[in-house]
Amino acid sequence: MVAETVERTGGVAAASATPWGRVGAAARRAQTALLWFVGIRLAGAACVAAWAWRTGRHPRSLLGGSWDSQWYLSIAQHGYGMAAPDGRWPDVPGADLAFFPLFPWLVRGVGAALPVHALTAGLLVAWGAALLAAWGIFAVGERLHGRRAGTLLVVLWAVLPHAVVESLAYTEALLTALSAWALYAALTGRFLGAGALAALAGLARPSALAIVAAVQAAVAVRAWQQWRRGPVRRPAPGGRVPDGHVPGRRLCAAALLAPVGWLGYVLWVGRRTGRGPLGYFEVQARWGSRFDCGRDALRAVRRLVLLGAPPAYLMTLAVVAVALLLYVLLAADRPPAAVLGYVTVLVVLALGGTGYFASKPRFLLPAFPLLLPAALALARARRRTTAVITGGLAALSLGYGPYLLTLAAMPL
């Protein structure tokens, strides 16, 4: 019996030592969080479907073909350089160059591999990315504060007022997935992996600059720590370097690799437009999107306070205010440099840009570490209190999502 037990335990340990074994163990740890996430988002999709049918629209078209989704699907089907998808958009030459290519590439790949329409392929990519994002969010939360906090971090991300975006054919879930796993890689000392994921994220959205900055901040901190410890004099037994030392060339490679995707696309747009390195920013300017350090956002807040606004704009104002409060609480908790750098850049980019004030909660969706203070508070609270709070947030999110997609007269 003892021999059988030792043999079985040894087999489990050997399996967990393999890459697939580690992935399986990580998936089992995240199982509860992922089940909660899938359940909440399925409930959200059901609410959207019920309201879509009530208003005479097809749920698939509503989830897969709303607003920016039309641009991504057009690029996936026809490439860049096509006219605006419909009459709601300005037919400006080169307008589609504002949209980064990774999501359309994935949609095209899924459409080539499966016998499905591009719209369905877009939803499959987005939903798969959202699930990977939830897993990565749990991994970061568990790494920093334990399994219960990681689970609640995922639940809070799933019940945000604008969480319906996680179910749309949009790129926020894709950026969140790549960023979360890049953060996890940086936190666990896998710097080359973090740099590669950041490079891939740079092809997803312009705000991927945040994860580029996060990886480079993590590299800088590790390099500083190793410099203060002094040079490694001799390897540990077995030839391994002691104390988790990362060779300097590997740190440099990670720092240089992280911005490759973002820079590559921006420079490609500049070459295509003939405007050089600033060509991409001129394309963004045609959409009314520039960085003005938040002056336009402050003017929008002033108009909302003085003149009033529809509920969606008031909800936007509330989300922005809560996000700023959570940022202060997160910074006071002194998280790792990679986490704080990631959130800081995302908040600055989301709130410092011109126009699209009502879209700022969507821009903040990848900033999941902002929810860490709330997740920690709920993890320490009584289970009944946690259930009441998360249940109330879920009810708000499940009701607000259909309103945004069907009734709110504003771009999402």
Side-chain angles (χ1 to χ4, degrees), residues 51-407:
W51 194 252
W53 282 318
R54 181 180 177 85
T55 56
R57 301 182 64 180
H58 196 286
R60 190 185 69 160
S61 300
L62 195 60
L63 292 170
S66 294
W67 299 106
D68 286 1
S69 300
Q70 299 173 15
W71 286 97
Y72 288 114
L73 295 182
S74 174
I75 296 168
Q77 292 175 296
H78 311 294
Y80 288 99
M82 300 300 294
D86 64 30
R88 293 183 300 178
W89 302 102
D91 194 4
V92 178
D96 56 355
L97 293 172
F99 299 90
F100 277 50
L102 181 58
F103 188 84
W105 288 347
L106 293 173
V107 171
R108 186 179 301 176
V110 170
L114 300 176
V116 295
H117 187 271
L119 192 148
T120 302
L123 287 175
L124 291 176
V125 171
W127 293 348
L131 188 61
L132 285 174
W135 189 2
I137 290 170
F138 170 82
V140 172
E142 182 194 34
R143 176 74 182 181
L144 294 176
H145 299 292
R147 187 176 299 185
R148 179 168 169 78
T151 299
L152 287 167
L153 186 63
V154 172
V155 170
L156 289 175
W157 192 67
V159 300
L160 288 171
H162 287 69
V164 69
V165 175
E166 299 163 16
S167 301
L168 303 183
Y170 269 45
T171 55
E172 276 72 21
L174 180 59
L175 176 61
T176 305
L178 293 169
S179 298
W181 285 109
L183 277 178
Y184 180 76
L187 292 173
T188 54
R190 300 174 174 90
F191 291 99
L192 276 180
L197 287 168
L200 196 58
L203 295 170
R205 286 190 59 79
S207 53
L209 275 177
I211 190 59
V212 172
V215 171
Q216 292 180 336
V219 166
V221 169
R222 176 58 69 91
W224 170 254
Q225 291 172 343
Q226 292 183 173
W227 180 81
R228 292 192 64 184
R229 285 201 299 260
V232 177
R233 298 184 181 280
R234 59 183 179 181
R240 300 185 63 184
V241 177
D243 300 326
H245 182 87
V246 181
R249 60 182 179 277
R250 186 173 297 180
L251 292 176
C252 289
L256 293 174
L257 179 61
V260 164
W262 190 91
L263 281 175
Y265 181 70
V266 168
L267 294 176
W268 179 81
V269 171
R271 181 178 180 182
R272 183 179 175 107
T273 58
R275 306 297 294 179
L278 299 180
Y280 174 78
F281 302 100
E282 293 184 10
V283 171
Q284 285 282 15
R286 296 173 195 168
W287 285 88
S289 180
R290 298 180 303 278
F291 187 80
D292 70 345
C293 299
R295 289 191 295 271
D296 184 73
L298 289 175
R299 286 193 293 268
V301 171
R302 182 182 178 185
R303 287 194 299 270
L304 291 178
V305 172
L306 296 179
L307 304 177
Y313 286 86
L314 297 178
M315 177 63 80
T316 296
L317 183 59
V319 169
V320 169
V322 171
L324 290 175
L325 174 61
L326 289 173
Y327 177 80
V328 172
L329 295 175
L330 177 68
D333 198 35
R334 301 180 66 183
V339 174
L340 186 60
Y342 173 68
V343 172
T344 300
V345 176
L346 268 180
V347 170
V348 169
L349 291 176
L351 303 185
T354 60
Y356 304 101
F357 182 76
S359 297
K360 294 194 183 298
R362 172 168 69 87
F363 300 156
L364 288 169
L365 199 64
F368 66 90
L370 285 176
L371 300 171
L372 277 170
L376 275 173
L378 290 176
R380 295 164 182 163
R382 295 180 178 178
R383 292 187 178 272
R384 182 176 180 180
T385 302
T386 301
V388 170
I389 293 175
T390 54
L393 291 173
L396 173 63
S397 177
L398 297 182
Y400 189 62
Y403 166 78
L404 274 180
L405 288 180
T406 59
L407 298 177

